Amino acid sequence: MSAIRRSLLAPWRLFLLGVLLAGSAGAQTVTVYSARNEQLIKPLFDAYTQETGTQIQILTDKEGPLLERLKAEGAKTPADVLITVDAGNLWQASQMGLLRSIKSPVLNANIPANLRDPKGEWYGLSVRARTIIYNKKAVNPANLSTYEALAGPEWKGKLCLRTSKKVYNQSLVATMIATLGEKQTEQVVRGWVANLATEVFPDDNALIKAVAAGQCEVGIVNTYYLARQLEKDPNLPVGLFWANQKARGVHVNISGAGVTRHAPNAVGGQKLIEWLSAGKAQEIYTDKDFEYPANPQIKPDSIISQWGAFRMDLINVSRAGELQAAATRLMDRAGYR
Ligand code: FE
C-alpha cells in the first residue's frame, strides 16, 4: 500500500501528471468572465465547443464586480477573456491594466476600426445603435432629424429620456462632447431637460411603453429593446428614426471582448474572440439579441432588417470611455437626473 502510494507520488509521475493537466486544460479550455448574461452567450459558446472541442468556463457578473475581481486576482486569475457591453466599460478595464494588446489580422479584417481599441486591447463584437423613437399616431417622422433638434421648443412636454445614470446615455453625451464641444452639448442637454414630458425612466423598456401609450411623443433608446417589444406586439405604434443621418450618423456603442492581461490561455482566448467576430457567431448576435453585427460582411435578417441600413457615427467608441466622466458632470450641471 505504502509502496504504491510512494510510487504514485514519485516526482517523475507528478511531473507527467502536471504536463498532462496543463496540456488538456491549457489547450482545451478557455475561461470567460462575462458581464453579458449567460442566456445570450451560452448558445455562442455551445456552438464554439461543438466546432472546436474547446470547453468554455463562464463566470457571469455585473461589470463593476468583474473588473474588481480581475484586479484582485492579478496574475493568478483563471480568466482568459473579458466580455462586456459598452465601450466605456472596456475602456475602463483597459485603463485598469486588466487587458492585453493582441495582434490579430483576423480581427482587424472583421471589425471596423471605429469599433475596436486602437491599441488592440478590446474588440467590438456587436453594434448597439441608440436612436430616436416616436409615437406613430402623434409624430410625422419628417419632423425628426437629430438628437440636438429634440432640444427645440417644438418638443416641449413631449420628450422622454432614460436616466442619465445609465452608461448608454453617458456614452451618447460623451460622443456629443467629442463632436460638438462641451458648451454646445450642455445647451442641448438643458433643452432636453426642459422638454421632458415626465420623470426620467429607469430603463429603455418603460420608455418605449410610455411612447406607445402616448405619454410622450419622442424618446431615445437602443434599437434592440424596440425589436424585442415589436416581436411580442407587431402593432405597437412606435416608429424608429435614424438620427443624424445627414451629418455624423447615429450613435453606436458595442458589446465586446478582450484577452486579459494575465490570461493563462491567451492563445485560446484570442481564437475564441476571432471566432466570435465572424460567420455563425455574428448571426447569433443579430438573430437572438437583435443587435447589429460588428462585422459588416454579415447582414441582419431578423425583425431589425425592416429599419434598413443606417449611417453610424464613425468616431472611435473608445472616446465614449475617455469622456464619460465629463459627460456625467455635464448632465449633472444641466439638471438631467
Ligand atoms: Fe441594454
Side-chain angles (χ1 to χ4, degrees):
M1 178 82 173
S2 66
I4 291 169
R5 196 173 288 152
R6 253 200 313 277
S7 79
L8 271 176
L9 292 175
W12 68 271
R13 281 181 188 274
L14 279 179
F15 175 71
L16 188 64
L17 188 70
V19 167
L20 285 173
L21 280 177
S24 63
Q28 305 292 343
T29 303
V30 173
T31 301
V32 177
Y33 283 6
S34 174
R36 303 217 71 177
N37 64 29
E38 202 159 334
Q39 224 179 321
L40 172 72
I41 55 174
K42 194 73 172 41
L44 287 164
F45 292 168
D46 287 346
Y48 187 69
T49 301
Q50 207 168 33
E51 205 174 299
T52 64
T54 300
Q55 298 294 322
I56 301 186
Q57 303 281 344
I58 319 173
L59 183 127
T60 57
D61 205 337
K62 293 222 155 60
E63 287 91 10
L66 274 188
L67 297 191
E68 284 309 316
R69 187 183 183 112
L70 267 175
K71 192 175 146 196
E73 287 171 345
K76 294 199 186 89
T77 188
D80 300 305
V81 171
L82 173 72
I83 290 185
T84 178
V85 295
D86 206 282
N89 293 322
L90 288 160
W91 181 85
Q92 182 78 32
S94 166
Q95 287 298 107
M96 290 166 75
L98 302 174
L99 301 175
R100 72 164 71 186
S101 170
I102 57 173
K103 286 195 175 53
S104 166
V106 174
L107 286 168
N108 289 349
N110 288 345
I111 307 300
N114 64 308
L115 304 177
R116 51 180 155 89
D117 177 33
K119 303 188 302 290
E121 294 198 3
W122 47 262
Y123 294 83
L125 293 171
S126 66
V127 171
R128 332 175 96 209
R130 190 156 188 81
T131 195
I132 299 171
I133 55 164
Y134 60 94
N135 180 296
K136 284 182 173 174
K137 294 174 201 153
V139 175
N140 177 355
N143 294 327
L144 295 168
S145 58
T146 63
Y147 306 107
E148 294 80 12
L150 296 179
E154 63 274 31
W155 297 107
K156 181 127 193 117
K158 296 176 178 173
L159 173 67
C160 280
L161 292 176
R162 182 177 185 165
T163 170
S164 66
K165 307 291 178 286
K166 181 67 186 181
V167 68
Y168 300 164
N169 285 330
Q170 293 164 4
S171 293
L172 170 63
V173 171
T175 56
M176 286 170 69
I177 292 174
T179 317
L180 309 170
E182 288 228 11
K183 208 172 150 209
Q184 204 186 326
T185 303
E186 186 167 337
Q187 276 169 3
V188 172
V189 174
R190 284 185 186 278
W192 286 350
V193 171
N195 285 345
L196 287 179
T198 179
E199 296 287 298
V200 294
F201 288 84
D203 59 68
D204 284 11
N205 280 320
L207 201 164
I208 292 167
K209 284 184 184 132
V211 171
Q215 187 185 7
C216 23
E217 295 187 4
V218 285
I220 300 173
V221 299
N222 283 4
T223 62
Y224 54 88
Y225 290 108
L226 180 58
R228 283 183 211 159
Q229 291 199 27
L230 285 172
E231 190 188 36
K232 281 185 221 139
D233 176 10
N235 297 318
L236 199 76
V238 179
L240 180 143
F241 181 83
W242 291 120
N244 297 58
Q245 292 301 286
K246 292 202 174 119
R248 70 178 186 270
V250 74
H251 170 67
V252 294
N253 209 307
I254 55 165
S255 78
V259 177
T260 65
R261 171 70 49 102
H262 299 291
N265 182 8
V267 172
Q270 178 169 338
K271 277 193 191 144
L272 172 64
I273 298 174
E274 288 172 346
W275 184 85
L276 289 170
S277 74
K280 190 194 287 172
Q282 287 285 297
E283 282 165 20
I284 292 176
Y285 270 116
T286 309
D287 297 341
K288 294 254 191 308
D289 217 41
F290 300 131
E291 294 177 24
Y292 287 90
N295 182 336
Q297 285 145 24
I298 310 294
K299 298 289 169 236
D301 73 344
S302 68
I303 195 167
I304 64 174
S305 58
Q306 67 177 295
W307 295 323
F310 56 91
R311 175 189 290 192
M312 71 168 96
D313 189 349
L314 292 178
I315 188 172
N316 192 288
V317 287
S318 65
R319 292 290 280 151
E322 291 162 24
L323 289 164
Q324 197 179 86
T328 307
R329 285 194 301 270
L330 185 152
M331 292 190 284
D332 195 49
R333 279 200 306 277
Y336 179 7
R337 300 294 166 230

